[in-house]
Amino acid sequence: MDDRLRPLWDFDDLELSSERLSAQLEMEESDAGRAEVMTQLARVAGLRGDFEAGEALVDEAVQLAGGSVVAVARIDLERGRLRRSSGDREAALPLFEAAFATAVAAGESFVAADAVHMAALAAPDRDSFVAWTERGIELAEADDGARYWIGPLLNNLGWEHFEAGELDLALDSFERALGARLDDPDNGSAIALARYAVGRALRALDRTDEAIAQLELAVEWAERAGAPDGWYHEELALGYADAGRGEEAAEQARLALPLLETDDPPFAEDRARRARLDSLAARERPTAPDG
């Protein structure tokens, strides 16, 4: 991963990320380096929903950046992220475009690919989303410094195709994303997520046995990691049901329900989805024979 600050991040623990970044801020030897770190602290603030604090940190970074092009790229990138997260997608896009152009000119391919992926998310229409995403994939495949982004970009493209009903294209993107994720075997969470996406597309294409194989691996990883995932259990329950494996479907549905109730707020309002899992979970467990 060709980004000196990315290893300081733990997106599941913002407090830890903030502590690491604050420590790094004290170790920086130049104003430009401090400006870079402050943009990352601004991102932490944005993820916490404190957009005012995030903007103030970016403003401080501007005062320190001087002629550092990578600091300028990060400033535009993180200000854009703050604008998008606060609901102003229209204002965010030009900032992502500027961050991309600056990062490319500076040879900062990781930051450039990050900016491309954010430009796609802020794009005003589907064609622009696809164009930005494909541009990012091309960049990431051509430059080892940005290879991390192949998986996220292909995942985003896959879901765009999936939601449009373009299932073969979705599966192709998801499988390519899984291949990229497998190149980083230490990132088990990302691999499991990629397997889930492949499994969901396969099930939608009625390739049930192949879907189950991928989903079982995703569930197995999540359980082993102590991070059970309701979406994984839900999709595996549906796969087992499609395959006529009712008892296994019921078990997975029972595991999915409390997790989704806690982790997926829209789940409670989706009556059809809830009823489908309730129906699967209601299957009676087999009774042990006497004696």
Side-chain angles (χ1 to χ4, degrees):
M1 186 180 297
D2 190 15
D3 179 25
R4 71 185 186 92
L5 299 180
R6 187 68 172 219
L8 301 176
W9 275 94
D10 182 340
F11 288 96
D12 294 322
D13 191 338
L14 293 180
E15 186 61 33
L16 176 60
S17 299
S18 181
E19 290 173 3
R20 289 173 175 172
L21 289 163
S22 295
Q24 182 66 34
L25 184 63
E26 297 300 317
M27 292 188 290
E28 292 292 328
E29 297 180 352
S30 68
D31 281 350
R34 283 185 279 276
E36 288 188 65
V37 177
M38 291 184 78
T39 67
Q40 302 308 284
L41 288 167
R43 186 176 183 184
V44 173
L47 289 170
R48 288 172 168 165
D50 191 347
F51 304 118
E52 184 176 346
E55 290 283 357
L57 284 163
V58 171
D59 288 341
E60 288 186 59
V62 170
Q63 300 304 313
L64 295 171
S68 169
V69 286
V70 64
V72 170
R74 288 189 190 273
I75 286 166
D76 284 336
L77 175 57
E78 300 309 333
R79 198 186 293 280
R81 252 195 275 261
L82 288 165
R83 299 285 167 83
R84 177 178 179 271
S85 296
S86 64
D88 194 352
R89 188 171 70 173
E90 186 175 350
L93 181 56
L95 290 164
F96 295 140
E97 292 172 339
F100 171 70
T102 303
V104 168
E108 294 286 341
S109 59
F110 187 95
V111 176
D114 190 355
V116 164
H117 122 272
M118 291 306 303
L121 296 177
D125 53 57
R126 185 174 190 267
D127 287 345
S128 297
F129 169 86
V130 172
W132 273 110
T133 302
E134 289 180 342
R135 190 174 184 179
I137 293 167
E138 181 180 354
L139 168 67
E141 288 180 336
D143 191 318
D144 286 344
R147 286 195 66 81
Y148 164 83
W149 288 104
I150 297 174
L153 287 161
L154 283 166
N155 176 70
N156 291 352
L157 185 61
W159 286 115
E160 182 66 26
H161 288 308
F162 188 89
E163 295 299 328
E166 300 164 352
L167 298 179
D168 289 318
L169 291 174
L171 178 59
D172 177 69
S173 293
F174 288 147
E175 288 181 331
R176 290 168 61 197
L178 176 58
R181 292 301 199 184
L182 289 170
D183 288 338
D184 182 11
D186 293 333
N187 195 349
S189 176
I191 293 171
L193 181 61
R195 291 194 187 282
Y196 163 78
V198 170
R200 189 164 180 195
L202 285 168
R203 194 178 72 80
L205 287 163
D206 296 322
R207 294 166 59 178
T208 305
D209 290 343
E210 295 171 81
I212 288 172
Q214 293 292 341
L215 294 164
E216 285 177 336
L217 288 171
V219 166
E220 178 186 345
W221 178 87
E223 292 292 314
R224 189 170 63 249
D229 189 293
W231 290 274
Y232 296 177
H233 286 300
E234 177 184 25
E235 194 62 25
L236 185 54
L238 297 174
Y240 283 146
D242 290 345
R245 296 163 63 174
E247 292 175 11
E248 291 162 294
E251 179 184 1
Q252 292 299 316
R254 294 182 193 116
L255 291 169
L257 282 164
L259 292 168
L260 292 172
E261 288 168 353
T262 300
D263 299 333
D264 186 6
F267 176 70
E269 306 300 322
D270 192 334
R271 294 183 180 180
R273 184 179 169 206
R274 175 65 191 248
R276 181 173 52 186
L277 277 182
D278 282 339
S279 176
L280 290 175
R283 182 186 176 97
E284 293 185 6
R285 294 179 173 88
T287 303
D290 294 336

